[in-house]
Amino acid sequence: MATEYMELGWIGEKVSRIGLGVWQFSESWGVTEYEDAKKIVEAAFDAGINFFDTAIVYGMGKSEEFLGRAIRELGIRDEVFIATKIPGEMLARDDVFKATQNSLKRLGVDVIDLMQVHWPPCWHNIPTCEYMRALEQLVLQGKIRYIGLSDFPVELVEAARNCLSTTDIVSIQIRYNLVEREAEAELIPYALQNDLAVIPWSPLAKGALTGKYTPENLPEFQDVRAREPLFTRENMEQIYEVVKVLEELSGKYGKTPAQLALRWLLDAYPNTLPIPGAKRPEQARDNAGAMGWSLAHEDWLRIDQVSRRVKISRVTY
Ligand SMILES: NC(=O)c1ccc[n+]([C@@H]2O[C@H](COP(=O)([O-])OP(=O)(O)OC[C@H]3O[C@@H](n4cnc5c(N)ncnc54)[C@H](OP(=O)(O)O)[C@@H]3O)[C@@H](O)[C@H]2O)c1
């Protein structure tokens, strides 16, 4: 399997261009047995993935625990990059230290490679510089190596960076996939100008781009997708126009629609590192197979054009 690496933002550290998101290791998505999680981590690593994204809130710590244990048991700590996230509710100065300490313990590591602020503090009125400087101190103490931001608008990314004096953030994590392209307006150009890595989450639109789901064949989701606007009939009818093109190109490239959807993101910008989630080892392997080849420009443009027509509505009631 051909791995493909990129340098992560300005730090120049080598990471695989496809990562593995492990929110799936939680009740939200349904991988709740450790042995199942371990097989997914192993399959991803064997297929060339060395970047793993978790968060404190995923399964209230379960995802961190499973990921850390799998990495330890597989003996691959020195070869992987572990990214986790601290939620917007835990950003008071003392909480940043406490939460990081708990994360280190759950992951079973001495240092976290990338600590991301999961989302800005929305309702506790914590000043931006309070948590950014606490994170900076954690870098100086050697508890975390790098800082990233997730789900921040550009204005707040700028404000957060201005709080730091001895380091800078290395990445922004954003909702970005073929049918949700809002980040192209401001966030991605900003990241390119400032040498920051872009980590697209839900890069497969939560499975809507894989070809498994059609407007006529939509399960009653029992997981986090039960209330996901992407899966309304109105939105799925539009998304399916993109899926049809991916399916058509599947034969030409010998790749699955999921691989084509991920490859499109990789070819769109040089600094993207999508982190598809996988519920089974085969999915992790399939997603890793988006690395090591490229779309012909005319095919990239064809997907681009059909995807530009999609206008997802999040008004569901
Ligand atoms: N920063 C944030 O706020 C934020 C928010 C959301 C997610 N994330 C991160 O991003 C990661 C990925 O996002 P996501 O899980 O929301 O969505 P996603 O990666 O777009 O979709 C994942 C789902 O698609 C299906 N799938 C995956 N690979 C497949 C393949 N090759 N073929 C067919 N189906 C496949 C699986 O579900 P089924 O098999 O059941 O269809 C899987 O659970 C998460 O694990 C998490 O680490 C971050």
Side-chain angles (χ1 to χ4, degrees), residues 263-288:
R263 188 68 235 177
W264 188 91
L265 295 178
L266 299 182
D267 288 341
Y269 300 97
N271 61 339
T272 47
L273 194 177
I275 47 167
K279 283 173 55 180
R280 289 188 298 283
E282 312 84 74
Q283 291 183 345
R285 274 190 287 274
D286 190 45
N287 296 336

PDB file of all heavy atoms in Angstrom, residues 263-288:
ATOM      1  N   ARG A 263      -9.509  11.567  -2.175  1.00  0.00           N
ATOM      2  CA  ARG A 263      -8.430  11.994  -3.088  1.00  0.00           C
ATOM      3  C   ARG A 263      -8.672  13.403  -3.609  1.00  0.00           C
ATOM      4  O   ARG A 263      -7.757  14.196  -3.790  1.00  0.00           O
ATOM      5  CB  ARG A 263      -8.309  11.010  -4.254  1.00  0.00           C
ATOM      6  CG  ARG A 263      -7.106  11.253  -5.150  1.00  0.00           C
ATOM      7  CD  ARG A 263      -5.812  10.954  -4.426  1.00  0.00           C
ATOM      8  NE  ARG A 263      -4.886  12.060  -4.441  1.00  0.00           N
ATOM      9  CZ  ARG A 263      -3.691  12.034  -3.806  1.00  0.00           C
ATOM     10  NH1 ARG A 263      -3.288  10.973  -3.135  1.00  0.00           N
ATOM     11  NH2 ARG A 263      -2.906  13.078  -3.835  1.00  0.00           N
ATOM     12  N   TRP A 264      -9.952  13.695  -3.833  1.00  0.00           N
ATOM     13  CA  TRP A 264     -10.286  15.049  -4.303  1.00  0.00           C
ATOM     14  C   TRP A 264      -9.802  16.091  -3.286  1.00  0.00           C
ATOM     15  O   TRP A 264      -9.234  17.118  -3.656  1.00  0.00           O
ATOM     16  CB  TRP A 264     -11.796  15.174  -4.534  1.00  0.00           C
ATOM     17  CG  TRP A 264     -12.149  16.475  -5.186  1.00  0.00           C
ATOM     18  CD1 TRP A 264     -12.260  16.729  -6.524  1.00  0.00           C
ATOM     19  CD2 TRP A 264     -12.397  17.722  -4.520  1.00  0.00           C
ATOM     20  NE1 TRP A 264     -12.567  18.056  -6.729  1.00  0.00           N
ATOM     21  CE2 TRP A 264     -12.648  18.683  -5.519  1.00  0.00           C
ATOM     22  CE3 TRP A 264     -12.422  18.120  -3.199  1.00  0.00           C
ATOM     23  CZ2 TRP A 264     -12.935  20.025  -5.230  1.00  0.00           C
ATOM     24  CZ3 TRP A 264     -12.691  19.453  -2.895  1.00  0.00           C
ATOM     25  CH2 TRP A 264     -12.951  20.385  -3.909  1.00  0.00           C
ATOM     26  N   LEU A 265      -9.988  15.805  -1.990  1.00  0.00           N
ATOM     27  CA  LEU A 265      -9.540  16.737  -0.944  1.00  0.00           C
ATOM     28  C   LEU A 265      -8.012  16.856  -0.934  1.00  0.00           C
ATOM     29  O   LEU A 265      -7.466  17.939  -0.719  1.00  0.00           O
ATOM     30  CB  LEU A 265      -9.990  16.263   0.446  1.00  0.00           C
ATOM     31  CG  LEU A 265     -11.486  16.222   0.754  1.00  0.00           C
ATOM     32  CD1 LEU A 265     -11.720  15.670   2.155  1.00  0.00           C
ATOM     33  CD2 LEU A 265     -12.108  17.612   0.650  1.00  0.00           C
ATOM     34  N   LEU A 266      -7.331  15.728  -1.155  1.00  0.00           N
ATOM     35  CA  LEU A 266      -5.864  15.758  -1.141  1.00  0.00           C
ATOM     36  C   LEU A 266      -5.319  16.551  -2.316  1.00  0.00           C
ATOM     37  O   LEU A 266      -4.316  17.255  -2.202  1.00  0.00           O
ATOM     38  CB  LEU A 266      -5.300  14.328  -1.191  1.00  0.00           C
ATOM     39  CG  LEU A 266      -5.656  13.395  -0.036  1.00  0.00           C
ATOM     40  CD1 LEU A 266      -4.983  12.038  -0.207  1.00  0.00           C
ATOM     41  CD2 LEU A 266      -5.234  14.000   1.293  1.00  0.00           C
ATOM     42  N   ASP A 267      -5.993  16.417  -3.461  1.00  0.00           N
ATOM     43  CA  ASP A 267      -5.519  17.121  -4.660  1.00  0.00           C
ATOM     44  C   ASP A 267      -5.946  18.584  -4.680  1.00  0.00           C
ATOM     45  O   ASP A 267      -5.420  19.376  -5.459  1.00  0.00           O
ATOM     46  CB  ASP A 267      -6.035  16.416  -5.930  1.00  0.00           C
ATOM     47  CG  ASP A 267      -5.327  15.082  -6.158  1.00  0.00           C
ATOM     48  OD1 ASP A 267      -4.239  14.884  -5.582  1.00  0.00           O
ATOM     49  OD2 ASP A 267      -5.863  14.239  -6.910  1.00  0.00           O
ATOM     50  N   ALA A 268      -6.932  18.944  -3.838  1.00  0.00           N
ATOM     51  CA  ALA A 268      -7.437  20.322  -3.849  1.00  0.00           C
ATOM     52  C   ALA A 268      -6.396  21.301  -3.310  1.00  0.00           C
ATOM     53  O   ALA A 268      -6.204  22.394  -3.856  1.00  0.00           O
ATOM     54  CB  ALA A 268      -8.726  20.417  -3.023  1.00  0.00           C
ATOM     55  N   TYR A 269      -5.730  20.930  -2.228  1.00  0.00           N
ATOM     56  CA  TYR A 269      -4.735  21.801  -1.582  1.00  0.00           C
ATOM     57  C   TYR A 269      -3.589  20.935  -1.073  1.00  0.00           C
ATOM     58  O   TYR A 269      -3.804  19.788  -0.679  1.00  0.00           O
ATOM     59  CB  TYR A 269      -5.357  22.542  -0.382  1.00  0.00           C
ATOM     60  CG  TYR A 269      -6.534  23.413  -0.747  1.00  0.00           C
ATOM     61  CD1 TYR A 269      -7.846  22.944  -0.587  1.00  0.00           C
ATOM     62  CD2 TYR A 269      -6.347  24.699  -1.257  1.00  0.00           C
ATOM     63  CE1 TYR A 269      -8.927  23.737  -0.920  1.00  0.00           C
ATOM     64  CE2 TYR A 269      -7.427  25.499  -1.597  1.00  0.00           C
ATOM     65  CZ  TYR A 269      -8.720  25.010  -1.427  1.00  0.00           C
ATOM     66  OH  TYR A 269      -9.790  25.788  -1.766  1.00  0.00           O
ATOM     67  N   PRO A 270      -2.383  21.497  -1.008  1.00  0.00           N
ATOM     68  CA  PRO A 270      -1.243  20.676  -0.564  1.00  0.00           C
ATOM     69  C   PRO A 270      -1.187  20.465   0.948  1.00  0.00           C
ATOM     70  O   PRO A 270      -0.441  19.628   1.429  1.00  0.00           O
ATOM     71  CB  PRO A 270      -0.027  21.503  -1.012  1.00  0.00           C
ATOM     72  CG  PRO A 270      -0.533  22.915  -1.060  1.00  0.00           C
ATOM     73  CD  PRO A 270      -1.981  22.841  -1.439  1.00  0.00           C
ATOM     74  N   ASN A 271      -1.989  21.233   1.698  1.00  0.00           N
ATOM     75  CA  ASN A 271      -1.844  21.191   3.164  1.00  0.00           C
ATOM     76  C   ASN A 271      -3.006  20.494   3.873  1.00  0.00           C
ATOM     77  O   ASN A 271      -3.210  20.687   5.055  1.00  0.00           O
ATOM     78  CB  ASN A 271      -1.683  22.618   3.720  1.00  0.00           C
ATOM     79  CG  ASN A 271      -2.900  23.503   3.414  1.00  0.00           C
ATOM     80  OD1 ASN A 271      -3.659  23.214   2.506  1.00  0.00           O
ATOM     81  ND2 ASN A 271      -3.061  24.571   4.175  1.00  0.00           N
ATOM     82  N   THR A 272      -3.799  19.700   3.126  1.00  0.00           N
ATOM     83  CA  THR A 272      -4.938  19.034   3.754  1.00  0.00           C
ATOM     84  C   THR A 272      -4.564  17.639   4.282  1.00  0.00           C
ATOM     85  O   THR A 272      -3.854  16.883   3.625  1.00  0.00           O
ATOM     86  CB  THR A 272      -6.113  18.849   2.768  1.00  0.00           C
ATOM     87  OG1 THR A 272      -5.588  18.312   1.551  1.00  0.00           O
ATOM     88  CG2 THR A 272      -6.823  20.144   2.492  1.00  0.00           C
ATOM     89  N   LEU A 273      -5.110  17.307   5.444  1.00  0.00           N
ATOM     90  CA  LEU A 273      -4.876  15.995   6.078  1.00  0.00           C
ATOM     91  C   LEU A 273      -6.233  15.484   6.584  1.00  0.00           C
ATOM     92  O   LEU A 273      -6.568  15.638   7.759  1.00  0.00           O
ATOM     93  CB  LEU A 273      -3.893  16.204   7.239  1.00  0.00           C
ATOM     94  CG  LEU A 273      -3.198  15.015   7.894  1.00  0.00           C
ATOM     95  CD1 LEU A 273      -2.228  15.506   8.949  1.00  0.00           C
ATOM     96  CD2 LEU A 273      -4.082  13.942   8.444  1.00  0.00           C
ATOM     97  N   PRO A 274      -7.045  14.911   5.674  1.00  0.00           N
ATOM     98  CA  PRO A 274      -8.366  14.420   6.098  1.00  0.00           C
ATOM     99  C   PRO A 274      -8.229  13.279   7.109  1.00  0.00           C
ATOM    100  O   PRO A 274      -7.301  12.477   7.019  1.00  0.00           O
ATOM    101  CB  PRO A 274      -9.005  13.910   4.801  1.00  0.00           C
ATOM    102  CG  PRO A 274      -8.132  14.402   3.692  1.00  0.00           C
ATOM    103  CD  PRO A 274      -6.783  14.648   4.251  1.00  0.00           C
ATOM    104  N   ILE A 275      -9.195  13.224   8.039  1.00  0.00           N
ATOM    105  CA  ILE A 275      -9.150  12.195   9.092  1.00  0.00           C
ATOM    106  C   ILE A 275     -10.446  11.367   9.092  1.00  0.00           C
ATOM    107  O   ILE A 275     -11.225  11.428  10.048  1.00  0.00           O
ATOM    108  CB  ILE A 275      -8.912  12.838  10.474  1.00  0.00           C
ATOM    109  CG1 ILE A 275      -9.855  14.058  10.671  1.00  0.00           C
ATOM    110  CG2 ILE A 275      -7.473  13.254  10.657  1.00  0.00           C
ATOM    111  CD1 ILE A 275      -9.924  14.558  12.114  1.00  0.00           C
ATOM    112  N   PRO A 276     -10.701  10.592   8.012  1.00  0.00           N
ATOM    113  CA  PRO A 276     -11.932   9.794   7.993  1.00  0.00           C
ATOM    114  C   PRO A 276     -12.001   8.842   9.182  1.00  0.00           C
ATOM    115  O   PRO A 276     -10.988   8.285   9.599  1.00  0.00           O
ATOM    116  CB  PRO A 276     -11.821   9.017   6.672  1.00  0.00           C
ATOM    117  CG  PRO A 276     -10.369   9.016   6.334  1.00  0.00           C
ATOM    118  CD  PRO A 276      -9.833  10.312   6.858  1.00  0.00           C
ATOM    119  N   GLY A 277     -13.206   8.669   9.696  1.00  0.00           N
ATOM    120  CA  GLY A 277     -13.420   7.696  10.762  1.00  0.00           C
ATOM    121  C   GLY A 277     -13.726   6.342  10.152  1.00  0.00           C
ATOM    122  O   GLY A 277     -14.238   6.261   9.024  1.00  0.00           O
ATOM    123  N   ALA A 278     -13.403   5.270  10.851  1.00  0.00           N
ATOM    124  CA  ALA A 278     -13.677   3.919  10.342  1.00  0.00           C
ATOM    125  C   ALA A 278     -14.332   3.088  11.429  1.00  0.00           C
ATOM    126  O   ALA A 278     -13.936   3.149  12.583  1.00  0.00           O
ATOM    127  CB  ALA A 278     -12.375   3.251   9.894  1.00  0.00           C
ATOM    128  N   LYS A 279     -15.350   2.327  11.045  1.00  0.00           N
ATOM    129  CA  LYS A 279     -16.018   1.452  12.008  1.00  0.00           C
ATOM    130  C   LYS A 279     -15.528   0.013  11.908  1.00  0.00           C
ATOM    131  O   LYS A 279     -15.829  -0.806  12.757  1.00  0.00           O
ATOM    132  CB  LYS A 279     -17.538   1.504  11.801  1.00  0.00           C
ATOM    133  CG  LYS A 279     -18.096   2.797  12.392  1.00  0.00           C
ATOM    134  CD  LYS A 279     -19.536   3.031  12.102  1.00  0.00           C
ATOM    135  CE  LYS A 279     -20.441   1.907  12.508  1.00  0.00           C
ATOM    136  NZ  LYS A 279     -21.855   2.252  12.164  1.00  0.00           N
ATOM    137  N   ARG A 280     -14.775  -0.240  10.834  1.00  0.00           N
ATOM    138  CA  ARG A 280     -14.220  -1.582  10.653  1.00  0.00           C
ATOM    139  C   ARG A 280     -12.828  -1.472  10.039  1.00  0.00           C
ATOM    140  O   ARG A 280     -12.544  -0.470   9.344  1.00  0.00           O
ATOM    141  CB  ARG A 280     -15.120  -2.394   9.708  1.00  0.00           C
ATOM    142  CG  ARG A 280     -16.451  -2.787  10.331  1.00  0.00           C
ATOM    143  CD  ARG A 280     -17.231  -3.747   9.449  1.00  0.00           C
ATOM    144  NE  ARG A 280     -17.573  -3.138   8.166  1.00  0.00           N
ATOM    145  CZ  ARG A 280     -18.546  -2.260   8.004  1.00  0.00           C
ATOM    146  NH1 ARG A 280     -19.289  -1.891   9.036  1.00  0.00           N
ATOM    147  NH2 ARG A 280     -18.797  -1.734   6.824  1.00  0.00           N
ATOM    148  N   PRO A 281     -11.972  -2.475  10.229  1.00  0.00           N
ATOM    149  CA  PRO A 281     -10.619  -2.415   9.664  1.00  0.00           C
ATOM    150  C   PRO A 281     -10.622  -2.186   8.145  1.00  0.00           C
ATOM    151  O   PRO A 281      -9.797  -1.425   7.628  1.00  0.00           O
ATOM    152  CB  PRO A 281     -10.024  -3.789  10.002  1.00  0.00           C
ATOM    153  CG  PRO A 281     -10.797  -4.274  11.179  1.00  0.00           C
ATOM    154  CD  PRO A 281     -12.173  -3.692  11.068  1.00  0.00           C
ATOM    155  N   GLU A 282     -11.594  -2.825   7.443  1.00  0.00           N
ATOM    156  CA  GLU A 282     -11.615  -2.659   5.969  1.00  0.00           C
ATOM    157  C   GLU A 282     -11.812  -1.199   5.572  1.00  0.00           C
ATOM    158  O   GLU A 282     -11.290  -0.752   4.553  1.00  0.00           O
ATOM    159  CB  GLU A 282     -12.742  -3.475   5.311  1.00  0.00           C
ATOM    160  CG  GLU A 282     -12.864  -4.919   5.746  1.00  0.00           C
ATOM    161  CD  GLU A 282     -13.669  -5.055   7.027  1.00  0.00           C
ATOM    162  OE1 GLU A 282     -14.897  -4.896   6.965  1.00  0.00           O
ATOM    163  OE2 GLU A 282     -13.081  -5.312   8.095  1.00  0.00           O
ATOM    164  N   GLN A 283     -12.616  -0.487   6.350  1.00  0.00           N
ATOM    165  CA  GLN A 283     -12.833   0.930   6.013  1.00  0.00           C
ATOM    166  C   GLN A 283     -11.544   1.723   6.198  1.00  0.00           C
ATOM    167  O   GLN A 283     -11.222   2.601   5.393  1.00  0.00           O
ATOM    168  CB  GLN A 283     -13.944   1.517   6.890  1.00  0.00           C
ATOM    169  CG  GLN A 283     -15.328   0.961   6.561  1.00  0.00           C
ATOM    170  CD  GLN A 283     -16.433   1.608   7.387  1.00  0.00           C
ATOM    171  OE1 GLN A 283     -16.173   2.265   8.382  1.00  0.00           O
ATOM    172  NE2 GLN A 283     -17.672   1.403   6.978  1.00  0.00           N
ATOM    173  N   ALA A 284     -10.800   1.415   7.241  1.00  0.00           N
ATOM    174  CA  ALA A 284      -9.532   2.130   7.465  1.00  0.00           C
ATOM    175  C   ALA A 284      -8.576   1.849   6.307  1.00  0.00           C
ATOM    176  O   ALA A 284      -7.914   2.765   5.792  1.00  0.00           O
ATOM    177  CB  ALA A 284      -8.915   1.691   8.789  1.00  0.00           C
ATOM    178  N   ARG A 285      -8.531   0.590   5.877  1.00  0.00           N
ATOM    179  CA  ARG A 285      -7.655   0.224   4.752  1.00  0.00           C
ATOM    180  C   ARG A 285      -8.107   0.915   3.479  1.00  0.00           C
ATOM    181  O   ARG A 285      -7.304   1.451   2.711  1.00  0.00           O
ATOM    182  CB  ARG A 285      -7.669  -1.301   4.524  1.00  0.00           C
ATOM    183  CG  ARG A 285      -6.671  -2.039   5.382  1.00  0.00           C
ATOM    184  CD  ARG A 285      -6.550  -3.500   4.960  1.00  0.00           C
ATOM    185  NE  ARG A 285      -7.707  -4.297   5.331  1.00  0.00           N
ATOM    186  CZ  ARG A 285      -7.860  -4.886   6.520  1.00  0.00           C
ATOM    187  NH1 ARG A 285      -6.913  -4.813   7.424  1.00  0.00           N
ATOM    188  NH2 ARG A 285      -8.935  -5.591   6.799  1.00  0.00           N
ATOM    189  N   ASP A 286      -9.424   0.915   3.261  1.00  0.00           N
ATOM    190  CA  ASP A 286      -9.972   1.543   2.057  1.00  0.00           C
ATOM    191  C   ASP A 286      -9.598   3.029   2.039  1.00  0.00           C
ATOM    192  O   ASP A 286      -9.125   3.553   1.023  1.00  0.00           O
ATOM    193  CB  ASP A 286     -11.501   1.379   2.068  1.00  0.00           C
ATOM    194  CG  ASP A 286     -12.144   1.775   0.758  1.00  0.00           C
ATOM    195  OD1 ASP A 286     -11.612   1.362  -0.302  1.00  0.00           O
ATOM    196  OD2 ASP A 286     -13.150   2.505   0.768  1.00  0.00           O
ATOM    197  N   ASN A 287      -9.760   3.687   3.177  1.00  0.00           N
ATOM    198  CA  ASN A 287      -9.479   5.129   3.233  1.00  0.00           C
ATOM    199  C   ASN A 287      -7.991   5.421   3.036  1.00  0.00           C
ATOM    200  O   ASN A 287      -7.625   6.398   2.383  1.00  0.00           O
ATOM    201  CB  ASN A 287      -9.998   5.710   4.550  1.00  0.00           C
ATOM    202  CG  ASN A 287     -11.514   5.600   4.635  1.00  0.00           C
ATOM    203  OD1 ASN A 287     -12.188   5.520   3.604  1.00  0.00           O
ATOM    204  ND2 ASN A 287     -12.063   5.577   5.836  1.00  0.00           N
ATOM    205  N   ALA A 288      -7.142   4.547   3.578  1.00  0.00           N
ATOM    206  CA  ALA A 288      -5.700   4.727   3.367  1.00  0.00           C
ATOM    207  C   ALA A 288      -5.363   4.628   1.881  1.00  0.00           C
ATOM    208  O   ALA A 288      -4.403   5.239   1.405  1.00  0.00           O
ATOM    209  CB  ALA A 288      -4.918   3.684   4.161  1.00  0.00           C
TER     210      ALA A 288
END
